[in-house]
Amino acid sequence: VFEYPSMEQVKTVKCPTCGTSVAWLPENAFRPFCSERCKMIDLGAWAESEYSIATNNDDLMSESSQKLD
């Protein structure tokens, strides 16, 4: 029988969009977000290129040319 952890044992994280504390539980379908709204705001920000992942283009070009050789 599965027992849910007590509230003292539940890990909480901050919603990346609004900063609300969110319990990290399997039934929280939107984790790490607090709601579908915050999840969609974040997705929209990625779609609008508000976020990016830093890369070193020289390294990427070098890797690509090595694979072609």
Side-chain angles (χ1 to χ4, degrees), residues 19-53:
T20 300
S21 291
V22 179
W24 194 267
L25 296 170
E27 57 269 12
N28 180 357
F30 306 112
R31 69 181 181 211
F33 303 97
C34 65
S35 64
E36 183 175 17
R37 178 181 178 272
C38 281
K39 181 179 175 181
M40 296 308 291
I41 289 170
D42 186 76
L43 179 61
W46 279 102
E48 293 293 322
S49 299
E50 292 177 26
Y51 303 135
S52 63
I53 298 172

